[in-house]
């Protein structure tokens, strides 16, 4: 085994694409999300990933549950060498940002920002506490929404912008320990989360929104994560990598 990769939200969409790529590269993969372990998506993901994959139920907003999660993962699969912070929630309601309620704002930031921070903090502490062995990394999957404005889902954009800064902070803090930290910014990726807006975005893509002229696939995010987790970009720690077919490149 190359190491143990913990992927939040790894049972579907981008997370499953990442988990599949890491499993194919020889990592022991551990998935964590708030889905029930018996949910069809979880069962299907584990079947697809094979015997070296496992699943734990964990809600990122429940930061008090983090020690128990990591204890269980270490007991079964060994210390985490690659954390992929992929899990995230969209805006509950798309609409006028002047109508966002505190409850809906907190829902998004509790998962996408607060929960992600404290899980990364706990994993980083454990990585530092152990003697250096296999290359170790933390990868934050944010979004092009870290820099591109969507006023109908302002709380989501705010959470991703904050996560982008979080990645930089962890990169600087962990660099002396040879722990790489990276940020991936997916663009318009074909997943269950984007199914409801597929017609809208397909038309915009065909109209030139994405220079590559197509939707991205979850597997393409996984293809970028693998060399990061393997240490092949170790001296690029702190890098923010767009995976968006050119969507975020400023154009006239």
């Amino acid at each position: 085994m190359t190491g143990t990769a913990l992927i939040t939200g790894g049972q579907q969409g981008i997370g499953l694409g990442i988990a599949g790529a890491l499993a194919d590269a020889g990592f022991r993969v551990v998935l964590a999300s708030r889905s029930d372990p018996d949910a069809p998506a979880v069962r299907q993901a584990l079947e697809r990933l094979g015997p070296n994959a496992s699943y734990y139920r964990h809600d990122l907003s429940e930061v008090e549950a983090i020690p128990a999660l990591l204890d269980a993962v270490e007991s079964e699969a060994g210390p985490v060498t690659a954390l992929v912070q992929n899990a995230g929630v969209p805006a509950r309601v798309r609409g006028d940002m002047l109508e966002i309620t505190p409850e809906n704002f907190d829902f998004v930031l509790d998962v996408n920002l607060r929960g992600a921070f404290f899980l990364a903090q706990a994993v980083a502490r454990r990585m530092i506490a152990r003697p250096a062995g296999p290359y170790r990394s933390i990868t934050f999957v944010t979004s092009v929404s870290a820099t591109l404005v969507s006023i109908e889902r302002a709380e989501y954009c705010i959470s991703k912008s904050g996560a982008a800064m979080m990645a930089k902070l962890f990169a600087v803090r962990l660099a002396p320990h040879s722990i790489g930290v990276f940020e991936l910014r997916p663009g318009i990726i074909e997943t269950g989360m984007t199914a409801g807006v597929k017609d809208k975005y397909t038309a915009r893509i065909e109209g030139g929104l994405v220079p590559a002229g197509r939707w991205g696939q979850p597997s393409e995010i996984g293809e970028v994560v693998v060399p990061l987790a393997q240490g092949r970009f170790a001296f690029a720690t702190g890098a923010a990598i767009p995976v968006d077919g050119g969507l975020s490149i400023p154009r006239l």
Side-chain angles (χ1 to χ4, degrees), residues 12-240:
Q12 62 187 3
I14 289 174
L16 183 55
I18 293 170
L22 288 170
D24 289 344
F27 282 84
R28 175 79 165 84
V29 294
V30 180
L31 316 180
S33 85
R34 59 183 180 175
S35 296
D36 189 281
D38 293 324
V42 174
R43 294 200 305 269
Q44 292 166 12
L46 292 176
E47 289 172 4
R48 172 179 166 183
L49 295 170
N52 289 319
S54 55
Y55 178 84
Y56 293 91
R57 187 188 179 283
H58 176 71
D59 187 331
L60 274 175
S61 66
E62 298 174 356
V63 297
E64 66 279 359
I66 290 172
L69 168 68
L70 297 181
D71 286 346
V73 170
E74 290 174 4
S75 176
E76 178 182 356
V80 174
T81 58
L83 170 64
V84 182
Q85 290 272 31
N86 165 77
V89 294
R92 275 177 167 169
V93 179
R94 286 181 176 238
D96 188 349
M97 62 182 285
L98 302 184
E99 301 298 328
I100 296 173
T101 64
E103 293 77 14
N104 286 347
F105 185 93
D106 290 347
F107 169 73
V108 173
L109 268 71
D110 277 352
V111 174
N112 296 0
L113 202 55
R114 183 174 181 268
F117 176 85
F118 285 105
L119 179 57
Q121 180 195 69
V123 170
R125 285 173 171 171
R126 294 185 184 218
M127 286 178 172
I128 291 172
R130 291 187 175 88
Y135 181 75
R136 299 160 300 174
S137 66
I138 298 175
T139 300
F140 293 90
V141 180
T142 64
S143 167
V144 292
S145 295
T147 58
L148 301 182
V149 168
S150 298
I151 59 173
E152 74 279 3
R153 52 192 186 115
E155 65 271 54
Y156 180 81
C157 294
I158 291 168
S159 74
K160 294 303 182 179
S161 179
M165 175 54 72
M166 181 162 58
K168 292 180 177 65
L169 290 163
F170 273 102
V172 172
R173 176 62 180 85
L174 299 179
H177 301 279
S178 299
I179 298 170
V181 181
F182 307 94
E183 179 199 354
L184 299 188
R185 296 182 180 177
I188 303 173
I189 310 299
E190 192 170 14
T191 68
M193 183 179 289
T194 55
V197 293
K198 185 167 185 179
D199 291 344
K200 170 187 173 182
Y201 277 105
T202 295
R204 295 189 67 189
I205 290 169
E206 292 173 349
L209 178 65
V210 178
R214 64 176 178 83
W215 285 76
Q217 298 300 316
S219 60
E220 294 179 295
I221 312 300
E223 289 168 358
V224 178
V225 170
V226 169
L228 302 180
Q230 290 174 328
R232 288 191 276 156
F233 285 82
F235 205 59
T237 189

